[in-house]
Amino acid sequence: MTKDQIKENIELVKNKIFEAEKKSGREAGSVRLCAVSKFHPMEDVLAAVDAGQKLFGENRVQEAYSKFNEIYSEDVQKSIQIKPELHIIGSLQSNKVKKACEIASCIQSVDRAEILAEIEKQCAKLDKKMNVFFELHTGEDSKCGFETEDLLLKSAEDCAGGKYPHVCPVGLMTMAPFTDDESLIRASFIKLRNLREKLNAEFPSLAINELSMGMSGDFQIAIEEGSSIVRVGTAIFGERDYSK
Ligand SMILES: *Cc1c(COP(=O)(O)O)cnc(C)c1O
């Protein structure tokens, strides 16, 4: 993708977000776009920043760490004058949590208690509060996320009970199944929205408001079902080269 193509794609995606907001009677600007830059070079991130994009998602910590450390370096910051925000959206191994906490402002892919404990440990050292999303497994294709709602609820209960003072749960995340059957995609998003209601009823002290759902192929459906953050990669940066 050239710089101009990336810019054009962002405009296209933003227009589609705007149309979907309108169609479902939601306020204009209520859905945030997270540009998923995994497998794409720093130059592509900078092209998106130049087009006004502020929030990025990466799923591999090592890659995110090198890319965004450079973006946050004094030299690059001097020239772009803006600090884009990074969310980690991929499943984490415990030994990657330290770097994730150093570089990201939010971890959207919390999928087990062990990861919460590790985020707590690392953020206590960094004297930093970390926003997190609990990821729920709702689609049979992906293996990501808490396997059951009960396991997720237990972690939310621990957060509400003060077990992880440096962790601030702000939302839920999911990936819908990869299918042409729209009803299955919708069911996955509805499941996540219903879980948010349940969490807010059971743990009113936590403010779990965000729903991170919708990717290049299904973000319009996700917005109709209440998404507040869509994670869009391919529609902005093009196909990924997984051989890299
Ligand atoms: C890669 C990825 C995306 C973006 O997917 P596209 O189909 O390229 O838009 C969104 N969410 C997660 C968790 C991902 O890993």
Side-chain angles (χ1 to χ4, degrees):
M1 289 279 156
T2 66
K3 203 175 156 172
D4 285 343
Q5 279 171 320
I6 290 172
K7 196 168 183 166
E8 222 170 88
N9 287 343
I10 287 180
E11 285 312 311
L12 281 172
V13 170
K14 277 189 175 165
N15 279 333
K16 286 181 183 167
I17 291 174
F18 179 72
E19 289 303 323
E21 285 169 339
K22 213 160 63 176
K23 185 178 169 195
S24 45
R26 302 188 51 198
E27 200 182 319
S30 54
V31 178
R32 265 211 294 174
L33 171 61
C34 176
V36 178
S37 47
K38 65 188 187 201
F39 290 89
H40 295 287
M42 179 186 79
E43 289 68 31
D44 289 7
V45 175
L46 296 182
V49 168
D50 201 45
Q53 181 60 28
K54 294 188 182 71
L55 173 60
F56 293 85
E58 291 270 346
N59 73 337
R60 300 187 302 181
V61 173
Q62 189 52 54
E63 177 189 340
Y65 192 79
S66 358
K67 211 184 292 181
F68 278 79
N69 256 332
E70 190 162 357
I71 292 169
Y72 294 155
S73 71
E74 217 175 297
D75 270 4
V76 175
Q77 283 298 301
K78 222 184 241 166
S79 72
I80 65 175
Q81 302 283 330
I82 186 169
K83 193 175 176 198
E85 203 184 327
L86 172 67
H87 287 189
I88 296 294
I89 61 171
S91 185
L92 281 166
Q93 292 166 283
S94 289
N95 62 3
K96 299 281 166 56
V97 169
K98 180 173 186 281
K99 278 188 170 163
C101 289
E102 284 172 20
I103 199 80
S105 66
C106 177
I107 296 174
Q108 289 198 13
S109 41
V110 169
D111 60 0
R112 56 197 193 276
E114 183 195 353
I115 293 297
L116 277 175
E118 192 61 28
I119 295 173
E120 173 58 32
K121 182 175 146 193
Q122 298 302 336
C123 284
K125 280 191 215 161
L126 294 166
D127 193 21
K128 174 178 182 175
K129 261 207 144 183
M130 182 63 73
N131 286 344
V132 303
F133 287 56
F134 296 128
E135 180 176 1
L136 182 67
H137 178 243
T138 61
E140 58 266 40
D141 310 314
S142 93
K143 287 179 191 70
C144 309
F146 280 95
E147 256 324 300
T148 67
E149 290 195 8
D150 281 347
L151 285 170
L152 191 155
L153 283 160
K154 176 73 179 76
S155 278
E157 186 182 4
D158 287 342
C159 287
K163 188 169 178 184
Y164 310 111
H166 294 83
V167 178
C168 184
V170 295
L172 299 175
M173 192 263 260
T174 200
M175 281 167 94
F178 297 102
T179 168
D180 291 331
D181 186 343
E182 198 182 303
S183 66
L184 290 178
I185 296 171
R186 230 173 252 285
S188 145
F189 295 149
I190 291 170
K191 193 170 178 191
L192 200 71
R193 191 181 65 215
N194 289 340
L195 179 60
R196 179 180 63 180
E197 301 315 310
K198 194 168 170 179
L199 277 167
N200 281 327
E202 282 194 38
F203 310 110
S205 66
L206 303 175
I208 299 193
N209 295 315
E210 306 276 355
L211 291 178
S212 173
M213 51 193 206
M215 306 175 23
S216 292
D218 56 21
F219 69 86
Q220 285 123 312
I221 302 171
I223 291 170
E224 288 171 30
E225 297 301 344
S227 173
S228 64
I229 298 186
V230 292
R231 308 176 310 271
V232 179
T234 311
I236 293 174
F237 298 110
E239 296 293 333
R240 289 177 284 273
D241 180 357
Y242 289 111
S243 63
K244 273 194 241 167

